[in-house]
């Protein structure tokens, strides 16, 4: 049986929603639990397909795992395995951060390349080059990564690009290096800071997270009970912002931290949304048609405009007055949702990494197909303002990053539901 999401557009949104815990924090932090020779209690852990996959991997290698609501307890006292089978690796992209964690904890690791959304080339060359430069011996042959900890000498490594995954892997491996590790041109995302906070709570020495230079000190592996609360998911917060922006209405996003996505919030404010910081999060209001063309949108590493937010904001701009120009600099397949939006009546012109969006009066509902996580959320968002019904297929991608997206939007007043079909007729356009 296949599931799809059915959206009937035209209803403004109203109410409040608690922003879920960050997927992109939870995954590396769960991997980092391997480092702690004891029990870690992780609060505000989102219940997603990706987090479930990571927990399955932890159980496979020997961790004790318990989940109670949004609290996950990981006991890493007895790690039994240093390999991760293909079936588990391919379920999510962030499985690759287990490479640094397993090397630091056990001295060896064996795994295939990671899975995740098909967004284009996402090589792990930087991960392997950094590990090797710091004293590990890591190589990829025939799609299999095999590594041992080598000399564990540590030192300094300059990333040619501020890769989030490579930064995380080197931070985790750095905990076992005798001379410590310095990562130059490190990723600066809030999720890197959250990982560092967990690691410091576990007794490691991480300094400089959130800047371009991160230091991981050498030291003895700590033994302690670790408790950590994951930050709110900034891309989920952007999703609800964009939903209100395109559908109209007002909502409070509980737990949202504007500073984590300020460039997106600034753009939406310039386009006509009203926002205010509240005691519990962020308030957003959208009244009337928005205005596009408030500066060119260029995606890039944090603190630039996030590539994960681009599909959502581009959807908002399909019905905004004027023209909006987008330059996607991170992933060549990040525009896969635009063809589906064009089928709904959007006026979009693509030229390589550039997209020119001319705002139209309205979109028309139809059956659309999800090609990746954020593109799928963008199509659901488009359905909120479209005339008639929009049926979103292939929603497994969406479930990788959102806790029941339809229930969240329904709580704000959207006419939306998850439906189950027993045949493949729903896939016909």
């Amino acid at each position: 049986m296949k599931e799809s999401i059915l959206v009937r557009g035209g209803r403004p949104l109203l109410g409040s929603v608690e922003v879920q815990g960050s997927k992109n924090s939870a995954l590396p932090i769960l991997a980092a639990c391997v480092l702690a020779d004891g029990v870690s209690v992780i609060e505000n852990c989102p219940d997603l397909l990706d987090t479930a996959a990571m927990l399955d991997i932890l159980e496979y290698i020997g961790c004790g795992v318990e989940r109670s609501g949004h609290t996950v307890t990981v006991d890493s006292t007895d790690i039994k395995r240093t390999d991760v089978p293909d079936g588990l690796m391919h379920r999510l992209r962030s499985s690759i951060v287990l490479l640094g964690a397993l090397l630091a904890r056990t001295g060896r690791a064996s795994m295939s390349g990671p899975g995740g959304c098909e967004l284009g080339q996402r090589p792990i060359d930087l991960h392997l080059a950094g590990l090797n430069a710091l004293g590990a011996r890591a190589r990829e042959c025939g799609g299999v990564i095999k590594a041992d900890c080598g000399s564990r000498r540590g030192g300094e490594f300059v990333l040619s690009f501020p890769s989030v995954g490579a930064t995380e892997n080197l931070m985790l491996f750095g905990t076992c290096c005798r001379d410590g590790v310095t990562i130059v041109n490190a990723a600066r995302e809030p999720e890197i800071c959250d990982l560092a906070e967990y690691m410091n709570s576990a007794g490691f020495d991480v300094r400089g997270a959130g800047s371009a230079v991160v230091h991981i000190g050498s030291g003895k592996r700590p033994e302690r009970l670790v408790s950590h609360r994951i930050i709110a998911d900034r891309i989920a917060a952007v999703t609800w912002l964009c939903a209100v922006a395109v559908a109209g209405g007002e909502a409070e996003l509980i737990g949202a931290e504007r500073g984590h996505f300020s460039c997106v919030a600034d753009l939406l404010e310039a386009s006509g949304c009203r926002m205010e910081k509240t005691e519990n999060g962020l308030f957003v209001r959208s009244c009337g048609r928005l205005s596009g063309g408030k500066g060119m949108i260029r995606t890039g590493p944090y603190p630039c405009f996030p590539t994960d937010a681009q599909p959502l904001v581009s959807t908002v701009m399909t019905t905004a007055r004027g023209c909006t120009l987008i330059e996607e600099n991170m992933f060549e397949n990040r525009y896969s949702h635009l063809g589906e939006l064009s089928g709904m009546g959007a006026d979009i012109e693509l030229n390589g990494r550039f997209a020119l969006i001319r705002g139209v009066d309205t979109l028309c509902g139809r059956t659309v197909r999800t090609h990746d996580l954020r593109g799928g959320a963008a199509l659901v968002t488009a359905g909120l303002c479209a005339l008639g019904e929009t049926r979103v297929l292939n929603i497994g991608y969406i479930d990788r990053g959102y806790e029941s997206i339809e229930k969240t939007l329904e709580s704000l007043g959207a006419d939306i539901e998850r439906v189950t079909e027993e045949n493949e007729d729903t896939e016909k356009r």
Side-chain angles (χ1 to χ4, degrees):
M1 293 189 294
K2 297 181 180 293
E3 289 187 325
S4 59
I5 291 177
L6 186 63
V7 190
R8 301 172 187 90
R11 287 191 180 182
L13 304 183
L14 180 65
S16 65
V17 58
E18 186 167 354
V19 180
Q20 68 188 48
S22 170
K23 175 181 86 79
N24 291 335
S25 276
L27 297 173
I29 287 172
L30 290 174
C33 289
V34 171
L35 300 175
D37 192 8
V39 176
S40 296
V41 179
I42 309 301
E43 299 177 346
N44 202 32
C45 182
D47 189 4
L48 311 168
L49 290 183
D50 272 15
T51 52
M54 182 63 82
L55 293 177
D56 285 346
I57 293 175
L58 294 181
E59 285 190 310
Y60 175 83
I61 64 175
C63 295
V65 175
E66 293 183 7
R67 176 186 275 278
S68 177
H70 291 112
T71 299
V72 172
T73 303
V74 179
D75 185 349
S76 61
T77 304
D78 189 17
I79 301 293
K80 296 182 175 69
R81 307 186 67 104
T82 62
D83 67 299
V84 183
D86 294 359
L88 290 175
M89 282 295 295
H90 291 166
R91 284 169 61 185
L92 73 162
R93 174 71 184 176
S94 291
S95 55
I96 191 62
V97 298
L98 280 158
L99 181 59
L102 279 173
L103 279 176
R105 175 66 189 273
T106 71
R108 58 176 52 88
S110 175
M111 58 188 66
S112 64
C117 294
E118 296 297 329
L119 297 174
Q121 292 296 315
R122 304 169 82 179
I124 60 169
D125 302 20
L126 275 179
H127 300 243
L128 302 185
L131 291 171
N132 287 329
L134 298 176
R137 290 188 293 261
R139 60 202 179 279
E140 182 178 14
C141 183
V144 177
I145 303 165
K146 291 187 177 294
D148 62 70
C149 63
S151 67
R152 305 184 190 219
R153 64 178 176 270
E156 180 179 288
F157 183 73
V158 180
L159 288 167
S160 59
F161 176 83
S163 162
V164 173
T167 300
E168 292 166 344
N169 249 330
L170 299 185
M171 287 171 65
L172 299 179
F173 178 69
T175 60
C176 78
C177 293
R178 66 172 186 267
D179 296 328
V181 164
T182 299
I183 308 167
V184 180
N185 197 28
R188 299 164 58 188
E189 276 77 356
E191 295 80 13
I192 296 292
C193 298
D194 207 20
L195 173 61
E197 185 173 328
Y198 165 81
M199 293 173 67
N200 285 326
S201 296
F204 297 104
D205 178 19
V206 182
R207 288 165 284 131
S211 73
V213 180
V214 177
H215 305 274
I216 300 91
S218 61
K220 186 177 179 181
R221 183 173 305 283
E223 297 182 17
R224 63 172 71 177
L225 173 68
V226 186
S227 181
H228 179 78
R229 182 174 178 83
I230 290 171
I231 61 173
D233 193 310
R234 61 192 172 104
I235 304 302
V238 166
T239 303
W240 314 138
L241 281 181
C242 289
V244 172
V246 77
E250 59 185 51
E252 183 181 20
L253 311 183
I254 299 172
E257 179 58 61
R258 178 173 175 148
H260 290 170
F261 49 87
S262 57
C263 55
V264 180
D266 291 347
L267 176 70
L268 292 177
E269 268 195 321
S271 299
C273 290
R274 175 190 163 195
M275 293 185 203
E276 293 178 8
K277 183 177 180 180
T278 68
E279 182 178 349
N280 298 315
L282 184 67
F283 171 85
V284 57
R285 174 180 293 161
S286 177
C287 301
R289 189 177 179 188
L290 301 182
S291 299
K294 302 302 180 181
M296 184 174 178
I297 298 172
R298 292 185 173 92
T299 66
Y302 190 87
C304 297
F305 200 95
T307 182
D308 279 358
Q310 178 266 109
L312 296 150
V313 173
S314 61
T315 297
V316 173
M317 294 304 151
T318 60
T319 57
R321 292 188 182 89
C323 298
T324 301
L325 183 61
I326 299 173
E327 181 181 3
E328 174 55 57
N329 295 305
M330 301 297 286
F331 298 120
E332 60 265 35
N333 293 341
R334 185 59 97 179
Y335 284 142
S336 60
H337 66 292
L338 294 184
E340 305 290 345
L341 291 176
S342 294
M344 297 176 70
D347 185 352
I348 301 171
E349 182 180 341
L350 278 177
N351 184 6
R353 68 176 185 271
F354 295 94
L356 178 63
I357 302 175
R358 302 178 181 90
V360 297
D361 291 336
T362 189
L363 301 178
C364 295
R366 70 188 295 262
T367 298
V368 293
R369 176 177 289 277
T370 295
H371 301 279
D372 62 77
L373 167 57
R374 304 306 174 185
L379 295 176
V380 172
T381 301
L384 297 173
C385 70
L387 296 174
E389 291 185 349
T390 300
R391 186 182 296 271
V392 183
L393 305 178
N394 209 21
I395 61 174
Y397 282 113
I398 300 174
D399 292 337
R400 286 188 46 233
Y402 295 89
E403 290 187 342
S404 302
I405 191 172
E406 75 284 356
K407 291 182 181 179
T408 300
L409 291 170
E410 184 181 34
S411 73
L412 293 173
D415 188 351
I416 183 173
E417 61 180 323
R418 182 178 295 242
V419 296
T420 302
E421 305 291 342
E422 296 186 5
N423 55 60
E424 298 183 359
D425 291 342
T426 57
E427 296 197 15
K428 295 179 181 178
R429 303 262 174 164

